[in-house]
Amino acid sequence: MSDHKRYGESIVPSRSISAVTRAVRRSLTVAALGLVAASGVYAAELSDAIRRFDIPAQSTSDALNQFSRQSGLRLFFAYDELAGKQADALQGEFTAAEALKKLLAGSGLEYEVNADSVVLIKRPGRSAADASPSASLGLTDEVVVIGKTNTATKLDLTVRETPQSVTIIDRQRIEDQNTTEISKVLDQTVGLTYRQSGPLGADNNNIMSRGFYLNNYQVDGVARLSNFGFSNDIADMALFEQVEVVRGATGLLSGIGEPSGTVNLMRKRPTTSSSGYLSAQFGTFDSYRVEADASSALTSGDRVRGRLVGAYEDSDSFVDRLNLTKKVGYGIVQADLTDSTVLTVGVEYQEHRSEGAARFGSALYYYDGRETNFPRSVNTAARWS
């Protein structure tokens, strides 16, 4: 019988919470669909920060492109709605909201900020869902828009600007592929080789990148050790929003370790609006899983926010007597100390219990050369394991 437990907590004051904006869902190209998107920052900056703009008179679509580059805001719009529309020159210092209103003046268009801090340019009367790139083109899949990441360089760069191979697995893909464990996420990551070398719940999986073992893990950019009996590759995905994988040596920024790469696990963060879900899964071999997630503002004005995540899983196997049980809990609170300082306090608990686990399979032949013909369900582990 093997037991693995992890206890962790963090108190992280920071000047801002730098998270990668949701990387997206399908590999469609923006140019092919006639859509434009630029890297994003928090929507709060739409009205707060004063910026200098220098945008000449030109078509509205080109003007919005320049606005996106100069403001750092992420925009969504369809070219067909901007066809034939012209924007006046914009020069001087404005907030992003003021600048955007001037560029859209006389165009009959308006803007709206959705829950993902994306600015949607749309016709009046259209909802945010109708104005999304997918809906405007009659598609059921979403368009790929890559935000900023600092996992590789500690600089807020787009994936295109990052001078290393980076893959981002966002929450939507995690849910679509039902990858409830980090090892399963990494098995779906391009450029990595995954080999499960143990039974259900085993923590000795081999994950390789560029010929070296991948053992460098981070949580929100801070290195996480695995020297105390709990391997990071079996950690549950219920408490992570997305996974960023950098392939290649990152020792300059992540310290000692293999030159294979680094896995950065981005935890779920509280939201200002109330949200949550409860899900249940049932499968073969008496396997079931229950997962819950709730997030909300804790005070008026949304200056203090909290989030709770919990999961429980119990699963047998086609192998006799083999059973895996998981208990996962996670809580996080964020407080805006000032307009530019956020205090984050988080606690994580994971317990994995695997019973009847055997490190090796059964023999294929007897000593005299006859085949053993053991059933595939035979378990060679000791009864007490």
Side-chain angles (χ1 to χ4, degrees):
M1 172 165 46
S2 63
D3 256 318
H4 305 287
K5 293 186 178 181
R6 170 189 290 154
Y7 302 86
E9 63 179 69
S10 62
I11 301 178
V12 185
S14 64
R15 302 306 293 178
S16 63
I17 300 302
S18 173
V20 178
T21 51
R22 298 192 66 182
V24 234
R25 325 241 170 118
R26 301 285 183 267
S27 55
L28 302 175
T29 62
V30 175
L33 296 177
L35 297 168
V36 168
S39 305
V41 294
Y42 287 110
E45 296 186 10
L46 188 63
S47 59
D48 294 339
I50 301 293
R51 300 178 177 85
R52 180 164 187 82
F53 293 93
D54 186 7
I55 302 175
Q58 56 192 309
S59 67
T60 303
S61 58
D62 290 339
L64 289 176
N65 277 329
Q66 290 198 17
F67 169 83
S68 179
R69 287 193 294 268
Q70 294 181 23
S71 66
L73 288 170
R74 190 156 55 115
L75 305 182
F76 268 141
F77 60 86
Y79 273 119
D80 56 353
E81 292 191 353
L82 304 182
K85 299 183 182 298
Q86 296 291 317
D88 295 331
L90 179 67
Q91 294 181 334
E93 295 184 349
F94 307 93
T95 66
E98 293 171 343
L100 194 54
K101 288 179 181 178
K102 290 181 178 295
L103 290 177
L104 296 178
S107 66
L109 301 173
E110 61 184 25
Y111 72 87
E112 179 179 331
V113 182
N114 73 0
D116 294 326
S117 301
V118 175
V119 182
L120 301 172
I121 310 299
K122 60 189 185 67
R123 294 194 303 271
R126 299 189 69 189
S127 66
D130 294 336
S132 68
S134 303
S136 64
L137 294 174
L139 302 175
T140 57
D141 291 333
E142 293 198 15
V143 178
V144 173
V145 181
I146 301 299
K148 295 182 180 180
T149 174
N150 60 10
T151 301
T153 64
K154 301 302 180 186
L155 300 174
D156 287 333
L157 302 176
T158 64
V159 174
R160 178 181 178 182
E161 296 168 336
T162 302
Q164 283 188 273
S165 298
V166 179
T167 297
I168 300 175
I169 310 296
D170 74 329
R171 188 68 207 175
Q172 185 62 46
R173 179 175 171 184
I174 292 170
E175 294 175 356
D176 289 346
Q177 296 181 328
N178 194 31
T179 48
T180 58
E181 197 171 272
I182 292 178
S183 61
K184 296 179 181 178
V185 173
L186 298 182
D187 187 29
Q188 298 293 328
T189 303
V190 63
L192 302 186
T193 302
Y194 169 79
R195 181 170 65 89
Q196 182 176 346
S197 57
L200 183 70
D203 58 355
N204 60 336
N205 303 306
N206 293 323
I207 302 171
M208 304 191 72
S209 172
R210 301 191 175 182
F212 296 90
Y213 288 108
L214 184 59
N215 297 320
N216 303 330
Y217 289 86
Q218 298 178 352
V219 176
D220 295 337
V222 179
R224 166 174 277 179
L225 301 178
S226 57
N227 300 332
F228 303 101
F230 191 102
S231 179
N232 287 294
D233 61 272
I234 65 170
D236 198 274
M237 285 302 303
L239 52 94
F240 297 114
E241 186 69 28
Q242 65 185 31
V243 179
E244 305 170 3
V245 181
V246 181
R247 293 178 295 280
T250 58
L252 179 63
L253 298 164
S254 60
I256 61 174
E258 297 286 350
S260 52
T262 297
V263 179
N264 189 20
L265 309 173
M266 306 298 294
R267 295 181 301 172
K268 290 180 176 178
R269 298 303 177 102
T271 58
T272 55
S273 59
S274 297
S275 62
Y277 67 85
L278 175 65
S279 66
Q281 301 178 15
F282 303 91
T284 56
F285 306 113
D286 295 326
S287 65
Y288 65 91
R289 176 184 173 90
V290 179
E291 184 175 321
D293 186 341
S295 179
S296 178
L298 303 180
T299 63
S300 59
D302 303 335
R303 295 190 67 85
V304 180
R305 306 165 295 278
R307 189 165 188 168
L308 288 175
V309 179
Y312 180 83
E313 181 176 338
D314 189 287
S315 178
D316 292 336
S317 170
F318 69 90
V319 179
D320 295 336
R321 299 183 288 110
L322 182 57
N323 173 267
L324 172 65
T325 302
K326 290 184 180 181
K327 299 176 182 178
V328 180
Y330 169 66
I332 185 172
V333 175
Q334 281 187 338
D336 296 334
L337 302 183
T338 67
D339 292 338
S340 59
T341 303
V342 178
L343 175 67
T344 302
V345 180
V347 178
E348 170 193 347
Y349 173 84
Q350 294 201 44
E351 178 182 335
H352 295 202
R353 185 179 182 89
S354 180
E355 295 183 339
R359 292 291 186 182
F360 306 100
S362 59
L364 298 177
Y365 299 94
Y366 291 108
Y367 71 94
D368 59 0
R370 292 181 297 115
E371 292 185 0
T372 57
N373 291 320
F374 290 132
R376 66 191 293 264
S377 60
V378 67
N379 192 338
T380 60
R383 291 283 177 180
W384 48 262
S385 69

